[in-house]
Amino acid sequence: MKYKYILHVQKHRLYINERKMKTISMVSSEVWKEVFIDVNKAVVFIDNACAEVLHWNGGLSALTEAGAVDVKEFSSFESAQSHQKKAVFITSSCLEEVITREIIQDIIQASHFQYVIIITAVTPRMHLFKKSGSYDGDTHSIFDAFEEDLLEWMENMNYTAEIKHIPILMSCISNNVFITPAFTELFPLIETDVKQLRIQHASKKAEKKQFECLNDLDMTCLPANLQIWFKTFVSSIDSLLSELAVSEDCYSIGPTSRILATELANYAPAKTRRKSTQNKASIVFVDRTLDIGSSCTHQTETLFDRIASVFPRLPGHTNDVLIDMSSLCHVHKDASSTVLPGCLASFNGHNQQHLQPLLTNKVKEGLMEVNRQLVDIASKENLPLKLTGKPGRVTADQLENTLSLFKGKYDMILKHINTLQVSMAVFHLLKSQRQQQLDSLSGIEKLLIQGYSDETDPLEEIYRLIITETEKTTTERSCTLDDIFCLIMFVYSVYGTRIKSDKEEQVKAVLVKYVLREKNTLPPLTQQIVGDTINEEVVTAILDDAWQKFKAISSARNNLKQFSSVCEESALGPSQLMPILKQLINVMFDPSKPELPDVELKSSGFGDLLKSGFGLFRTVSKPRPSDHPLLIIFVVGGVTSTELKQIKDLCASLKLSSQVIVGSTRLIKPEDIVTSILCQDRINRV
């Protein structure tokens, strides 16, 4: 087969200014259609991040329907059979990364391929930057050299090698919500990271910059690997905006978001794109760390958040959950592991409409809608329905009775798999003993928020809770050690620097004793926090370090003026949690157009400076994120389903003419946030 080089450039991208603005679901679908064209008669090797994106875009069946003969993990331990001559590698990483290169080489040399296609989600320009430290240069040469290597590994220079960049970035959870599984671990820096950054920055040979706090940071202050990570993210967002065919204004709230927004504003391909399209948009990056309380709370408004808090994650995934579907099959009761686990993502396409009762309805309304849909499909299949229970109330027994009608009817199960998986998830949720603990935690949080206006000491309440829980048996406890860490994180975020308590040392002391006492049965999050060596000295040191991070979270809003509090105090009632995202929507679309001191516009040139009202022309009105027909709010560090519902409800009540899209690195639950802050190295990405 004749050697050829193909650098993938879609024709329609060359005429951005002639296209109409697309929806994110359309973009996501079109991206995967490009992938599906190449997989016919191929063995596909796909990495975890791309597999998770695919999971929400048709899943494994989409590849097999497109003609893939086999789908395997992107691993050095995999290979193809001798008669399989075509391979497609789908990766979210840069081909210049050593581990990526080695895996591709190992698989090819262990197989007998004559035709290899590599699809990378990383742009050619980022490949160039990874290799040379600069965006300037010939991007073609990077892929040219790698293709030569591919042919050498296939041991025949007349075989075919192709490298394509396709922006496999996002998974659409609903029409106006997307996540970026490849950047799950991207999380905002916190104040305790500054010291380590200073140490690493001091070792640089290049010109050094002095910085004392998070707000002093820019891209040059970060270590090389973190810079590449941030720049790769920005280039991926630029790819998304290119697909949407928009010219955007870049805004930020928070130190890490400021770095990302500045990079996007000044990114050369983004500047070129903005000159070639008339469709206008705004993108606002928001640091999750500014409002940990709203993501660490158990006061959930949606079934999705409840399910996420109860169910384990689907293996290898960071957003979907594992649902036991074995009760619908004719298997032994203890053989659930032999049945392919269920999940929430659509089984057969991009549309996640079946998730709307979980994502956008209140819990009670969601229960009613899930039950209605389940009864509806049972009725359409003429199954012997027995409607029991009180009107307006859904119980686990009701769901179980209807679900049991589908047992063993595999054609029907496959036909209605999306509805059945959601219904089974809700059934297991209602049966779970964890439900009572979640209600108890929600009550505790409400009391802690009420104490905000009373100026009570929240750590006193936490101290009492720990003492009370240690006196109970395991089955009697209303919360676990994991829950206590989440509550502490919640308190420090909500109360901020108002926490000035002599109770900190007492809380740490009783927590150390609690951990030591339960060391043989620690729950997953606590085990991850304290590690394997559990003695008083080690645990005390670990908790001392954790408290420094708690305090860093408490000071995260210190430099904010408009969004300095996430609690709404009222003379007529108790204080309530007021998430920053809700506050942001309110002020951005306020008809009186108040100033937005915390929302920074990142300028990419002199024209933007004039638009911003800087320089000599003070009469020019300052731009606002709400100026354009499309607003993208991207939460760096994760978002909850409850927050998504609140934004949707608020936009509906305001009757906005603008379209609001919410993006984030992942869907999160309280334990994810604590893990990201206490256990994750946010600086040294390997």
Side-chain angles (χ1 to χ4, degrees):
M1 299 177 72
K2 187 178 179 181
Y3 163 68
K4 60 180 179 178
Y5 172 79
I6 299 177
L7 178 61
H8 181 71
V9 181
Q10 290 177 297
K11 291 182 180 179
H12 68 267
R13 291 182 194 169
L14 301 177
Y15 304 99
I16 288 176
N17 57 329
E18 296 180 5
R19 301 188 312 179
K20 293 182 179 179
M21 193 184 303
K22 298 179 180 179
T23 65
I24 55 169
S25 58
M26 288 170 60
V27 168
S28 180
S29 177
E30 288 180 0
V31 163
W32 279 99
K33 283 179 182 177
E34 297 176 52
V35 175
F36 297 151
I37 290 171
D38 288 318
V39 302
N40 188 38
K41 298 181 180 179
V43 181
V44 178
F45 299 88
I46 184 168
D47 69 16
N48 285 347
C50 289
E52 187 164 6
V53 177
L54 175 65
H55 176 71
W56 296 92
N57 289 277
L60 178 64
S61 60
L63 286 178
T64 56
E65 287 170 9
V69 297
D70 203 352
V71 181
K72 300 192 175 189
E73 185 180 0
F74 187 74
S75 165
S76 291
F77 297 102
E78 296 288 357
S79 62
Q81 297 179 38
S82 58
H83 68 278
Q84 295 171 330
K85 304 301 182 182
K86 180 182 176 183
V88 174
F89 295 87
I90 306 175
T91 177
S92 61
S93 58
C94 181
L95 303 182
E96 291 299 309
E97 291 185 9
V98 174
I99 185 65
T100 303
R101 180 185 179 88
E102 288 180 350
I103 290 173
I104 294 172
Q105 181 179 359
D106 290 342
I107 293 173
I108 290 176
Q109 291 181 336
S111 307
H112 299 81
F113 299 129
Q114 297 177 3
Y115 184 11
V116 170
I117 300 174
I118 297 181
I119 297 173
T120 172
V122 181
T123 63
R125 193 172 290 264
M126 274 311 304
H127 278 82
L128 180 63
F129 185 88
K130 172 80 173 178
K131 185 172 185 177
S132 66
S134 171
Y135 289 127
D136 299 325
D138 181 13
T139 56
H140 291 226
S141 63
I142 300 291
F143 287 173
D144 278 337
F146 201 89
E147 285 195 343
E148 292 287 340
D149 292 336
L150 292 176
L151 294 170
E152 288 183 10
W153 298 337
M154 285 190 280
E155 299 182 344
N156 191 325
M157 301 304 287
N158 291 316
Y159 287 162
T160 304
E162 300 179 23
I163 298 178
K164 301 184 178 185
H165 160 59
I166 299 179
I168 303 168
L169 166 69
M170 64 175 181
S171 301
C172 291
I173 305 302
S174 71
N175 290 336
N176 293 313
V177 178
F178 70 93
I179 51 174
T180 56
F183 298 98
T184 291
E185 295 181 4
L186 184 63
F187 198 84
L189 299 168
I190 63 175
E191 200 63 49
T192 53
D193 295 325
V194 175
K195 181 179 179 181
Q196 187 177 348
L197 284 171
R198 279 203 301 267
I199 294 171
Q200 293 186 217
H201 189 69
S203 65
K204 286 185 178 180
K205 294 180 181 179
E207 183 180 348
K208 298 178 178 62
K209 178 178 178 178
Q210 297 298 317
F211 53 91
E212 297 299 325
C213 63
L214 276 178
N215 283 323
D216 294 336
L217 297 178
D218 60 24
M219 188 70 82
T220 63
C221 302
L222 309 180
N225 278 355
L226 191 57
Q227 286 192 39
I228 291 171
W229 183 227
F230 280 13
K231 288 175 183 289
T232 302
F233 169 76
V234 167
S235 70
S236 295
I237 294 296
D238 172 66
S239 295
L240 169 61
L241 297 172
S242 295
E243 293 291 338
L244 289 172
V246 295
S247 170
E248 80 288 355
D249 290 335
C250 304
Y251 298 85
S252 67
I253 310 175
T256 300
S257 287
R258 182 188 303 115
I259 295 172
L260 297 173
T262 302
E263 181 68 19
L264 179 60
N266 295 299
Y267 185 51
K271 289 183 178 181
T272 302
R273 167 176 47 77
R274 294 183 197 116
K275 295 175 183 177
S276 59
T277 181
Q278 301 302 314
N279 296 322
K280 296 294 184 181
S282 299
I283 183 167
V284 184
F285 295 97
V286 183
D287 280 5
R288 175 76 271 173
T289 45
L290 299 176
D291 183 11
I292 293 297
S294 297
S295 59
C296 221
T297 181
H298 296 85
Q299 299 176 66
T300 54
E301 296 181 16
T302 67
L303 280 170
F304 193 100
D305 279 340
R306 282 264 166 157
I307 289 170
S309 291
V310 170
F311 289 72
R313 285 263 157 69
L314 195 64
H317 290 250
T318 55
N319 296 283
D320 208 344
V321 298
L322 185 152
I323 302 168
D324 181 4
M325 301 292 290
S326 60
S327 61
L328 294 187
C329 307
H330 289 302
V331 295
H332 191 274
K333 288 183 179 180
D334 297 326
S336 59
S337 61
T338 65
V339 178
L340 186 70
C343 61
L344 295 178
S346 174
F347 176 74
N348 51 6
H350 303 267
N351 190 344
Q352 308 296 334
Q353 191 61 36
H354 66 293
L355 292 183
Q356 297 316 298
L358 308 186
L359 287 167
T360 61
N361 292 2
K362 291 182 179 179
V363 172
K364 185 176 179 180
E365 294 170 354
L367 287 171
M368 295 292 293
E369 180 60 18
V370 168
N371 185 59
R372 186 198 67 77
Q373 291 182 6
L374 179 62
V375 169
D376 186 48
I377 62 170
S379 177
K380 287 180 179 178
E381 296 294 346
N382 296 317
L383 295 175
L385 276 168
K386 294 181 181 179
L387 300 179
T388 59
K390 299 178 181 179
R393 185 184 176 192
V394 178
T395 66
D397 289 341
Q398 283 178 271
L399 291 172
E400 184 177 32
N401 289 337
T402 310
L403 283 166
S404 66
L405 299 176
F406 290 89
K407 183 171 183 176
K409 298 177 174 65
Y410 299 115
D411 289 341
M412 287 186 191
I413 292 173
L414 187 60
K415 181 179 178 182
H416 302 291
I417 188 65
N418 292 341
T419 300
L420 290 172
Q421 287 183 136
V422 167
S423 302
M424 187 65 76
V426 173
F427 161 67
H428 285 304
L429 174 68
L430 295 178
K431 293 282 286 185
S432 171
Q433 295 181 350
R434 178 65 175 163
Q435 276 272 80
Q436 292 183 341
Q437 287 185 326
L438 294 176
D439 291 336
S440 176
L441 289 166
S442 176
I444 293 169
E445 289 168 357
K446 287 178 181 177
L447 290 174
L448 290 168
I449 293 173
Q450 289 173 16
Y452 185 86
S453 55
D454 299 335
E455 297 188 358
T456 57
D457 183 356
L459 291 186
E460 176 69 38
E461 298 300 321
I462 297 290
Y463 177 78
R464 289 175 186 166
L465 175 65
I466 297 173
I467 294 296
T468 302
E469 291 301 301
T470 55
E471 293 173 351
K472 296 178 182 177
T473 64
T474 304
T475 55
E476 293 174 337
R477 290 173 186 162
S478 58
C479 61
T480 67
L481 264 169
D482 286 0
D483 297 329
I484 289 172
F485 278 107
C486 292
L487 284 172
I488 295 171
M489 188 71 77
F490 172 82
V491 161
Y492 271 88
S493 177
V494 171
Y495 274 73
T497 52
R498 290 176 60 158
I499 294 183
K500 296 177 181 177
S501 172
D502 57 359
K503 279 290 180 184
E504 284 184 349
E505 294 304 320
Q506 287 181 273
V507 172
K508 277 192 279 185
V510 296
L511 204 49
V512 169
K513 290 181 180 178
Y514 197 177
V515 169
L516 293 175
R517 177 176 142 181
E518 305 289 322
K519 66 179 181 180
N520 294 323
T521 56
L522 292 176
L525 173 59
T526 306
Q527 179 69 62
Q528 192 173 356
I529 292 170
V530 301
D532 297 326
T533 305
I534 301 176
N535 58 54
E536 185 171 357
E537 183 179 1
V538 170
V539 174
T540 300
I542 288 171
L543 291 188
D544 284 341
D545 178 69
W547 242 264
Q548 293 303 311
K549 294 170 181 174
F550 289 143
K551 289 181 178 180
I553 292 302
S554 73
S555 64
R557 295 189 300 273
N558 279 5
N559 292 300
L560 300 184
K561 299 173 182 177
Q562 201 166 26
F563 307 126
S564 59
S565 174
V566 291
C567 253
E568 186 177 52
E569 298 184 70
S570 172
L572 302 177
S575 299
Q576 291 184 327
L577 199 63
M578 179 55 70
I580 273 185
L581 295 179
K582 282 185 70 174
Q583 294 184 51
L584 180 61
I585 295 290
N586 265 321
V587 297
M588 283 194 301
F589 291 99
D590 188 329
S592 66
K593 296 190 174 182
E595 287 292 315
L596 303 172
D598 298 329
V599 183
E600 298 183 37
L601 171 65
K602 311 315 295 182
S603 302
S604 61
F606 184 67
D608 283 339
L609 286 173
L610 294 182
K611 282 198 305 179
S612 303
F614 297 108
L616 300 175
F617 303 94
R618 298 283 181 178
T619 57
V620 179
S621 61
K622 192 174 181 179
R624 297 171 64 85
S626 55
D627 287 344
H628 303 313
L630 174 63
L631 169 64
I632 301 173
I633 299 175
F634 194 96
V635 186
V636 182
V639 68
T640 67
S641 169
T642 294
E643 289 175 306
L644 298 175
K645 176 187 178 298
Q646 291 170 344
I647 292 173
K648 179 179 179 294
D649 291 348
L650 187 55
C651 290
S653 67
L654 294 172
K655 298 180 180 179
L656 302 180
S657 57
S658 302
Q659 181 187 11
V660 177
I661 293 175
V662 181
S664 188
T665 46
R666 66 183 300 187
L667 298 171
I668 49 173
K669 56 184 178 180
E671 291 83 358
D672 297 330
I673 287 292
V674 179
T675 300
S676 295
I677 294 170
L678 298 189
C679 306
Q680 181 178 322
D681 187 343
R682 290 167 293 279
I683 297 173
N684 299 306
R685 173 175 166 76
V686 179

